[in-house]
Amino acid sequence: MSSLIDNTNKMSYQERKNIVHIVGSLLITGTYFWYITQSGPAPDLSTEELLKFWAKSLLVLIPVSIVGKIIVHIVFSITNAIATRDHKIPPTDERDKLIELRASRNASWIFGAGFIIAMGALVMDASVTAMFVVLICGGLLSEIFDNASQLYFHRRGI
Amino acid sequence: MSKSFLSNNIRTLRFHNNEMTQQQLADAVGVSRQTIVAIEKGKYSPSLELAFRLAAAFNTPIQDVFTYTPEK
C-alpha cells in the first residue's frame, strides 16, 4: 500500500487526474448502461419505438455523464488535496494544452471509427439495439483513449 | 515521438543562478514544474515565447540557453 502511495505521489497532478477520469468514465457509463439494459427495451417494440427508446437513453446519458464527472472531479480534488497536502491546483500551461489537443484528436479518430462500425453493423442487418450499443461503446472508448493519450504524453513527452 | 534537435542547458543555468529549483523557475516563467522537467529532459520543445521567457529568467541570451543542431 505504501509503495502504491509512493508511486502515486511521484505522478503529476495531470497524470493522477487522467487515471481518475478513466475510472470515472468506466463507472458512470457502465452503471448507466447496466441500468438501461435492466429496465428495457421490451423485446416486442417496433423499430420506431426502439429508436425513440435509445435516442432518449442517449440524451439522458449526456446530463448524467456531466453530473457524474463533476462529482468525480470534486471527490478527486478533495482526496488529492488531503493526500498530497497541496491545495494549489497546478495551472494549465502550453504543454498541457498541446497534450489535450493531441489527445482530443486521437479520441476523435476512435469515435469516428466507432460510428462507421455502428453504421456498418446496420448495413450487415444488425439490430437497432446493436447499433446503439456500438455507438455508446465507441463514445466510451474514445473518452478512455483521450485520457489514456494524455497520460501517455505526460509520461513519455510530446 | 520525433527526435528533437534542440538541446538546452537549463539545469546548469539553474545551478549557477543561486541553485534555483525547478519550481522556482516554473513560477518565474509561468508554467508547471513538470513542463520544466520535460524541457530539461528534452521531451518537450518550448514555444518561442516560453524560450524567450526562460532566457529572460536567467538574464542570458536565448542562444546561450538553447542550441539547435540539425541532423546532417
Side-chain angles (χ1 to χ4, degrees):
Chain A
M1 184 68 179
S2 62
S3 64
L4 181 66
I5 293 168
D6 286 341
N7 283 334
T8 311
N9 279 338
K10 285 173 191 164
M11 286 185 192
S12 68
Y13 170 84
Q14 301 288 353
E15 288 167 2
R16 287 195 293 270
K17 190 182 80 168
N18 283 311
I19 291 173
V20 166
H21 280 191
I22 289 171
V23 173
S25 296
L26 281 167
L27 279 174
I28 294 165
T29 309
T31 307
Y32 179 73
F33 191 64
W34 173 82
Y35 169 74
I36 59 171
T37 50
Q38 292 295 307
S39 60
D44 56 345
L45 285 179
S46 68
T47 304
E48 193 182 319
E49 285 166 341
L50 211 49
L51 281 170
K52 275 189 185 169
F53 169 82
W54 281 109
K56 186 180 149 193
S57 301
L58 275 180
L59 284 175
V60 170
L61 177 60
I62 294 168
V64 163
S65 245
I66 290 170
V67 169
K69 279 177 188 166
I70 289 171
I71 292 171
V72 163
H73 193 74
I74 289 171
V75 169
F76 164 69
S77 296
I78 293 169
T79 314
N80 186 64
I82 294 169
T84 61
R85 295 190 187 94
D86 184 9
H87 302 277
K88 262 191 342 183
I89 294 174
T92 306
D93 59 17
E94 60 175 51
R95 180 173 154 264
D96 296 326
K97 284 176 191 162
L98 183 64
I99 287 172
E100 277 173 23
L101 276 172
R102 292 235 179 132
S104 181
R105 187 185 64 183
N106 291 347
S108 299
W109 282 108
I110 300 292
F111 186 78
F115 182 80
I116 288 170
I117 292 170
M119 296 302 108
L122 265 187
V123 166
M124 309 269 278
D125 297 324
S127 65
V128 166
T129 299
M131 183 204 79
F132 276 101
V133 166
V134 171
L135 264 180
I136 290 170
C137 288
L140 175 62
L141 270 173
S142 76
E143 237 180 281
I144 291 171
F145 201 75
D146 187 337
N147 290 119
S149 294
Q150 288 191 48
L151 185 62
Y152 175 81
F153 288 136
H154 276 293
R155 280 262 163 191
R156 294 298 187 104
I158 192 165
Chain B
M1 199 171 51
S2 57
K3 189 182 166 187
S4 172
F5 303 118
L6 201 64
S7 58
N8 65 81
N9 39 339
I10 290 174
R11 185 180 270 272
T12 310
L13 285 165
R14 278 198 298 113
F15 181 77
H16 288 126
N17 276 264
N18 299 319
E19 295 180 13
M20 191 192 291
T21 64
Q22 288 172 333
Q23 187 61 61
Q24 285 170 333
L25 179 58
D27 292 339
V29 298
V31 297
S32 65
R33 190 186 71 84
Q34 281 71 35
T35 299
I36 299 297
V37 170
I39 293 172
E40 286 185 1
K41 287 183 178 175
K43 288 186 175 182
Y44 175 66
S45 295
S47 68
L48 198 57
E49 186 184 340
L50 179 55
F52 273 104
R53 275 194 263 135
L54 283 163
F58 295 121
N59 205 25
T60 306
I62 193 170
Q63 56 265 31
D64 291 345
V65 182
F66 294 97
T67 311
Y68 178 69
T69 315
E71 194 181 274
K72 288 181 186 174

